[in-house]
């Protein structure tokens, strides 16, 4: 695991080779709405960054910009030292390198669980089917759904589907995993089984950007908390610092709302 990044000011001290995702002066508008404002964010290899903030602050847009589901208006985003590609095969490869897990499970409904996890390996990574099957079964085992391989997504619980979605993203051997509120559509009893898979992934050294309101996860898994409000990064700190001693009024206000309901 990389060193804990404390504040923005320390980013420059990290070795360049340790930086995996670098957003530099990123701006994005939706019409008149300035949804990402001068975003500077560097994510080190192996780092787990939790992004929190009020609804509409731009958290999902930030995630979507990192795998170019949303093009940006200005600034730059690089992955592993290279600017994000705009189109074609390079873009497909980027989407594989940047695994994404959304709030809604987004599995292919007409494919089995196993096929969901082998498809990208065969189509994008050009693996042969036997190898893809073998790796898929290993990953399904790792997320605890090996015995569901031949079922269809609708036959699984929400928590199981979300774990399959994680396995499907991992099957591409991504450089970074983005999670956008992966547990917020789940029934309470299924939240932990998904968070535990994510905890394990973090312990295994995966670089992760996680949008979540699960403060327990943030406290135990995150190296850094990034607090967004109104399209800006308002505050960055270790979870310990952020939860015990938030500096900005916006963060204090937000925390008092989510911790007391
Ligand atoms: N495709 C779009 N077209 C126009 N406006 C959009 C689009 N996507 C998002 N927005 C607006 O941009 C702002 C930021 O949206 P975003 O989804 O990034 O926020 P968020 O922080 O993820 O919020 P939430 O916590 O509710 O998921 C919101 O005001 C939203 O309505
Ligand atoms: Mg969102």
């Amino acid at each position: 695991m990389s060193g804990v990044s404390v504040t923005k000011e320390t980013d420059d001290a990290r070795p360049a080779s340790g930086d995996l995702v670098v957003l530099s002066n990123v701006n994005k508008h939706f019409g008149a709405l300035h949804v990402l404002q001068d975003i500077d964010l560097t994510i080190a290899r192996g780092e787990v960054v939790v992004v929190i903030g009020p609804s509409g602050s731009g958290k999902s847009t930030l995630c979507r910009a990192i795998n170019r589901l949303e093009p940006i208006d200005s600034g730059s985003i690089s992955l592993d030292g290279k600017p994000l590609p705009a189109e074609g095969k390079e873009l497909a490869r980027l989407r594989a390198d940047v695994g994404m897990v959304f709030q809604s499970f987004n599995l292919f409904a007409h494919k089995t669980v196993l096929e969901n996890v082998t498809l990208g390996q065969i189509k994008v990574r050009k693996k042969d089917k036997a190898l893809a099957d073998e790796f898929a079964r290993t990953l399904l085992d790792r997320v605890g759904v090996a015995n569901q391989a031949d079922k269809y997504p609708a036959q699984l619980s929400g928590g199981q589907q979300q774990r399959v979605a994680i396995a499907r993203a991992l099957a591409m051997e991504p450089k970074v995993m983005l999670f956008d509120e992966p547990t917020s559509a789940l029934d309470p009893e299924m939240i932990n089984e998904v968070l535990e898979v994510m905890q394990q992934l973090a312990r295994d050294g995966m670089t992760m950007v996680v949008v979540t309101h699960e403060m327990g996860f943030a406290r135990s898994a995150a190296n850094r908390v990034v607090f967004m409000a109104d399209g800006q990064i308002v505050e960055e700190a270790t979870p310990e610092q952020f939860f015990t001693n938030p500096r900005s009024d916006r963060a204090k206000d937000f925390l008092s709302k989510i911790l007391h309901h």
Side-chain angles (χ1 to χ4, degrees):
M1 189 67 64
S2 70
V4 173
S5 322
V6 180
T7 61
K8 252 181 170 169
E9 290 74 43
T10 62
D11 283 355
D12 293 337
R14 275 195 225 117
S17 62
D19 294 342
L20 185 60
V21 183
V22 181
L23 290 87
S24 179
N25 205 18
V26 168
N27 283 280
K28 162 98 190 159
H29 297 77
F30 285 121
L33 182 68
H34 196 172
V35 63
L36 296 178
Q37 302 181 23
D38 298 325
I39 300 288
D40 288 314
L41 179 65
T42 298
I43 298 153
R45 223 174 283 277
E47 193 179 16
V48 178
V49 173
V50 162
V51 180
I52 68 174
S55 181
S57 56
K59 306 179 298 294
S60 293
T61 307
L62 178 76
C63 281
R64 292 165 59 80
I66 296 175
N67 71 355
R68 225 177 181 288
L69 285 171
E70 293 288 355
I72 57 175
D73 298 338
S74 65
S76 66
I77 305 179
S78 66
L79 175 69
D80 220 353
K82 293 191 206 88
L84 298 191
E87 55 190 16
K89 280 198 179 135
E90 293 279 302
L91 182 59
R93 218 168 293 139
L94 170 78
R95 299 263 163 82
D97 283 344
V98 181
M100 180 128 189
V101 177
F102 301 89
Q103 178 175 344
S104 52
F105 318 125
N106 290 108
L107 296 173
F108 303 118
H110 303 294
K111 304 227 175 269
T112 65
V113 162
L114 186 71
E115 287 164 349
N116 264 277
V117 185
T118 55
L119 197 67
Q121 297 185 66
I122 295 165
K123 294 237 151 120
V124 180
R125 297 300 195 202
K126 309 291 180 205
K127 273 201 215 164
D128 78 49
K129 188 173 173 308
L131 277 178
D133 274 5
E134 191 186 333
F135 190 40
R137 287 188 191 277
T138 303
L139 291 170
L140 289 172
D141 187 45
R142 198 191 292 173
V143 301
V145 291
N147 53 355
Q148 312 291 329
D150 299 321
K151 290 191 181 165
Y152 286 86
Q155 297 172 287
L156 271 55
S157 73
Q160 289 171 329
Q161 288 185 57
Q162 199 59 311
R163 286 181 283 146
V164 174
I166 294 171
R168 184 177 61 174
L170 291 176
M172 308 305 278
E173 300 178 77
K175 292 177 175 169
V176 53
M177 287 281 287
L178 310 178
F179 293 86
D180 190 359
E181 303 205 32
T183 60
S184 56
L186 295 176
D187 292 335
E189 72 270 22
M190 291 167 191
I191 291 176
N192 278 338
E193 65 193 38
V194 173
L195 291 178
E196 274 162 25
V197 167
M198 293 167 62
Q199 290 271 14
Q200 188 57 49
L201 206 51
R203 280 195 292 270
D204 291 344
M206 176 60 75
T207 308
M208 296 164 63
V209 178
V210 184
V211 179
T212 185
H213 291 176
E214 293 293 336
M215 297 303 132
F217 175 84
R219 274 182 181 272
S220 59
N223 298 114
R224 183 161 47 136
V225 172
V226 168
F227 175 70
M228 285 186 79
D230 295 331
Q232 294 174 331
I233 293 179
V234 173
E235 191 161 338
E236 285 184 71
T238 62
E240 175 66 18
Q241 284 175 322
F242 183 76
F243 292 116
T244 55
N245 192 18
R247 294 187 299 265
S248 63
D249 288 342
R250 292 298 306 261
K252 284 177 193 162
D253 182 50
F254 177 77
L255 283 175
S256 74
K257 282 181 185 138
I258 60 162
L259 297 176
H260 298 135
H261 86 207

